[in-house]
């Protein structure tokens, strides 16, 4: 399968070989061809917990094999620790390398299949999960922003009372819009946020879940730097308010893990200069 482009979104499940419990997987590959990069979103519906794993790897087209390496995994601290480590049912992938096999089904669907091992941190027992992913278009509808910014609001007034920390500065020269996808990070506990662009409220009451909320944010080219601020409306059941923000510009995706609370906001700056 030389020339097979794996770039895009793959959705599917991880099934525990012993309990047959299923967890939801979304593999977003943002760098295709033979060198692979992206994020694996690993969601446990039973425990309402999502884990985002930054991955890299390589696709061997001659043998239709995709190897994946876990580069980093960031989750929120929860009571009792990381639930993926406390039981076989909740187990996520163990650190290391994993192999998936590519095939095209009779219905011309692109499929990735394989097995990932895990070890229960408490009992030391090992197991494996059967992985099946299918390449699909994103199953979400973008949130379209209003043509004019919203005026004064409670959030706008509170924004000025909180410290705002810059999480990243991203080059954005030569673009009209920025694609931003928001997920909850850690336990799905009711986190809700507002987004400000250049100090103006553009969208509010965005509930963070395991499914991406996608926004297309217009760029103000009269400003050398455009600033997007994530504002916590609440802290959910388990403070702080945590989110994964995927920013895509010129085909490149930046994965930012943000944390906000009633004292601080998180911001991303987009530099339009050379």
């Amino acid at each position: 399968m030389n020339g097979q482009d794996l770039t895009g979104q793959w959705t599917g499940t991880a099934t525990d070989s012993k309990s047959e419990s299923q967890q939801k997987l979304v593999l977003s590959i943002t760098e295709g061809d033979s060198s692979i990069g992206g994020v694996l979103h690993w969601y446990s519906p039973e425990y309402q917990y999502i884990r985002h794993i930054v991955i890299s790897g390589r696709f061997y087209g001659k043998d239709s094999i995709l190897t994946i390496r876990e580069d980093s995994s960031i989750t929120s601290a929860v009571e009792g620790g990381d639930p993926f480590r406390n039981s076989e049912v909740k187990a996520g992938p163990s650190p290391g390398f994993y192999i998936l096999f590519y095939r095209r089904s009779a219905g011309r669907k692109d499929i990735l299949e394989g097995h990932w091992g895990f070890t229960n941190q408490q009992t030391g027992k090992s197991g494996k999960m059967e992985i099946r992913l299918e390449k699909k278009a994103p199953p979400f509808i973008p949130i379209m922003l209003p043509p004019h910014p919203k005026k004064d609001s409670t959030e706008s007034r509170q924004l000025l009372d909180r410290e705002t920390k810059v999480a990243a500065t991203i080059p954005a020269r030569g673009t009209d819009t920025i694609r931003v996808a928001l997920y909850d990070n850690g336990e799905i506990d009711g986190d809700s946020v507002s987004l400000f662009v250049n100090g103006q409220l553009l969208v509010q009451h965005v509930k963070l879940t395991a499914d991406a909320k996608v926004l297309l944010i217009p760029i103000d080219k009269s400003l050398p730097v455009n600033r997007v601020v994530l504002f916590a409306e609440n802290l959910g059941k388990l403070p702080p308010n945590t989110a994964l923000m995927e920013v895509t510009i010129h085909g490149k995706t930046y994965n930012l893990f943000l944390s906000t609370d009633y004292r601080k906001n998180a911001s991303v700056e987009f530099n339009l200069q050379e």
Side-chain angles (χ1 to χ4, degrees), residues 41-262:
H41 311 282
W42 189 293
Y43 174 59
S44 172
E46 181 179 0
Y47 296 94
Q48 291 289 292
Y49 195 89
I50 187 168
R51 179 177 175 187
H52 307 287
I53 304 163
V54 179
I55 59 96
S56 61
R58 188 170 182 84
F59 180 60
Y60 299 88
K62 181 180 179 180
D63 301 312
S64 298
I65 292 175
L66 173 64
T67 62
I68 292 177
R69 181 181 71 238
E70 178 181 332
D71 287 342
S72 66
S73 176
I74 302 179
T75 56
S76 298
V78 296
E79 185 176 355
D82 182 351
F84 283 102
R85 297 182 178 181
N86 292 336
S87 72
E88 293 175 330
V89 174
K90 302 180 191 177
S94 301
F97 287 89
Y98 310 97
I99 297 177
L100 294 175
F101 296 91
Y102 168 86
R103 68 178 175 86
R104 177 163 286 181
S105 70
R108 300 193 62 78
K109 294 181 179 180
D110 293 321
I111 307 294
L112 288 171
E113 294 176 314
H115 293 87
W116 279 339
F118 64 88
T119 301
N120 187 305
Q121 297 292 320
Q122 293 180 332
T123 66
K125 294 182 179 180
S126 299
K128 65 180 180 179
M129 305 190 84
E130 181 178 344
I131 307 298
R132 187 183 187 279
L133 299 166
E134 179 180 333
K135 190 175 184 181
K136 296 181 178 180
F140 40 69
I141 300 174
I143 300 172
M144 300 307 295
L145 300 181
H148 302 290
K150 297 181 180 181
K151 301 300 181 182
D152 193 23
S153 68
T154 301
E155 285 91 344
S156 297
R157 294 189 296 272
Q158 291 176 339
L159 179 70
L160 300 176
D161 296 330
R162 300 184 186 181
E163 178 187 4
T164 298
K165 294 187 176 181
V166 179
T169 299
I170 297 174
R173 190 170 184 270
T175 188
D176 295 318
T177 59
I178 299 167
R179 181 187 184 276
V180 171
L182 291 172
Y183 298 83
D184 202 339
N185 181 40
E187 185 163 343
I188 309 301
D189 61 347
D191 288 344
S192 181
V193 300
S194 295
L195 275 183
F196 290 81
V197 178
N198 301 323
Q200 296 178 312
L201 177 65
L202 284 185
V203 64
Q204 60 188 154
H205 310 319
V206 179
K207 187 175 181 181
L208 301 179
T209 67
D211 295 318
K213 300 294 190 303
V214 180
L215 302 99
L216 301 178
I217 299 177
I219 286 291
D220 185 347
K221 293 186 176 181
S222 68
L223 300 174
V225 176
N226 280 231
R227 195 183 201 197
V228 175
V229 176
L230 189 73
F231 173 93
E233 294 181 352
N234 63 22
L235 303 183
K237 296 178 182 177
L238 297 168
N241 189 317
T242 55
L244 166 65
M245 177 185 286
E246 289 183 350
V247 177
T248 303
I249 298 179
H250 297 313
K252 183 175 182 179
T253 298
Y254 303 82
N255 299 289
L256 309 173
F257 294 90
L258 307 179
S259 176
T260 59
D261 56 29
Y262 292 143

Side-chain angles (χ1 to χ4, degrees), residues 9-20:
Q9 189 171 91
W10 300 75
T11 63
T13 57
T15 304
D16 190 310
S17 59
K18 294 181 180 179
S19 68
E20 296 188 356

